[in-house]
Amino acid sequence: MRMVIGNGLSFEKRSPRVTIWNEYIHERTDPQIAKVYPKGIHIALAEGLQPYGFLLRTATLEMLEHGLTKETLEQTDVLIWWGHLAHEQVSDEIVNRIQARVLQGMGLIVLHSGHRSRIFQRLMGTTCDLKWREDARRERLWVVDPAHPITAGIGQYIEVEPEEMYGEFFDIPAPERLVFISWFHGGEVFRSGCEYQRGLGKIFYFRPGHEAYPTYYNKDVLRVIANAVRYVGAPHGATPTYGEVKPLEV
């Protein structure tokens, strides 16, 4: 679709192309988790995001090249990442490939225990470690940047119950924009919605989503992820050139 604005200026508007990656181990090995996500977390996310009109595909660890071939990533505007048990099974080649695409402008959304994924650690340059407690109680995610587009349609906070606790200190670089902080019943707080930019690519880390709980059926959680897709997948400017260049004509 071509839209015209202002003095005849135009831009192309199309639905973001989204690849949802899930290691897809818990759901195939743990009957209790299979009851929560019988088709896998990746399918639950795809079904939850389908009403937003995105062009969706899914990929899992066991697929050839983890489902993230060069062609797939070249056709991806936003990569959503969920992992937990098998971070070290993701190959160097794929980590390098994702990093290159982020630097070129692909958006990346990292969910829950994806904080320890090799790609997130690579892009952050830190351990990305934290405190945790799996106690199946309440999480309240407070909006601390209501002007941010990722919070569109969300009230002052999101209530998620039950959810696993993550607590500070969270070993990440200071977020370029902090969108959410979480409070848990044990008194812990956590930087749970963090934005970064690497090269031309935007990155958003969003905390909720423990595999044993139905968090990815929560409409507010899905709304945040959908908003994040639009935000990190927005078009960027011209790709810069490097190295020796000829002088411009003046």
Side-chain angles (χ1 to χ4, degrees):
M1 180 196 312
R2 179 174 292 274
M3 299 185 67
V4 178
I5 57 175
N7 298 318
L9 300 176
S10 65
F11 63 93
E12 295 292 335
K13 183 178 181 181
R14 60 171 171 76
S15 297
R17 301 168 299 177
V18 181
T19 299
I20 303 170
W21 192 89
N22 173 28
E23 64 185 27
Y24 193 32
I25 295 176
H26 285 289
E27 307 94 308
R28 294 184 293 115
T29 59
D30 188 322
Q32 292 301 115
I33 294 171
K35 289 180 181 178
V36 181
Y37 295 108
K39 294 183 283 187
I41 287 172
H42 53 302
I43 301 300
L45 284 166
E47 292 176 348
L49 294 175
Q50 190 274 332
Y52 290 92
F54 305 139
L55 302 175
L56 298 160
R57 74 171 78 191
T58 62
T60 59
L61 179 72
E62 65 182 2
M63 296 171 67
L64 180 66
E65 300 183 59
H66 309 323
L68 300 174
T69 64
K70 290 181 180 179
E71 181 181 14
T72 294
L73 287 177
E74 286 169 0
Q75 296 174 359
T76 297
D77 299 311
V78 178
L79 175 63
I80 299 175
W81 189 276
W82 196 100
H84 183 206
L85 294 177
H87 297 315
E88 297 307 314
Q89 295 181 37
V90 178
S91 71
D92 289 342
E93 179 183 4
I94 300 306
V95 174
N96 293 339
R97 188 179 295 170
I98 298 169
Q99 180 185 24
R101 280 290 293 127
V102 170
L103 297 179
Q104 293 165 1
M106 181 185 73
L108 176 65
I109 300 171
V110 177
L111 300 175
H112 194 59
S113 48
H115 69 92
R116 290 299 303 272
S117 64
R118 296 187 64 208
I119 183 58
F120 193 61
Q121 289 179 327
R122 170 79 64 84
L123 291 164
M124 295 299 103
T126 60
T127 69
C128 303
D129 213 348
L130 48 80
K131 297 181 181 70
W132 62 275
R133 184 175 63 251
E134 188 177 336
D135 53 5
R137 301 249 187 130
R138 180 173 41 145
E139 175 182 10
R140 180 172 288 179
L141 296 104
W142 288 96
V143 174
V144 294
D145 188 353
H148 200 294
I150 286 177
T151 69
I154 303 298
Q156 294 187 64
Y157 60 85
I158 299 171
E159 197 93 356
V160 182
E161 187 174 6
E163 248 302 348
E164 181 181 28
M165 185 280 290
Y166 279 5
E168 296 286 349
F169 178 64
F170 187 14
D171 186 21
I172 53 173
E176 292 162 26
R177 290 183 73 174
L178 180 61
V179 184
F180 295 96
I181 59 170
S182 289
W183 168 89
F184 298 89
H185 79 280
E188 297 88 359
V189 296
F190 190 78
R191 290 168 289 169
S192 52
C194 305
E195 180 196 338
Y196 300 92
Q197 183 168 327
R198 297 291 185 269
L200 297 179
K202 290 188 176 69
I203 302 163
F204 184 63
Y205 172 76
F206 190 47
R207 197 218 76 86
H210 184 64
E211 66 276 359
Y213 310 133
T215 303
Y216 293 128
Y217 302 113
N218 182 300
K219 291 183 178 180
D220 285 335
V221 169
L222 290 168
R223 176 65 185 267
V224 169
I225 296 171
N227 290 344
V229 166
R230 294 194 181 100
Y231 182 75
V232 304
H236 53 77
T239 300
T241 58
Y242 302 98
E244 185 178 3
V245 297
K246 295 179 180 180
L248 295 174
E249 295 292 334
V250 294

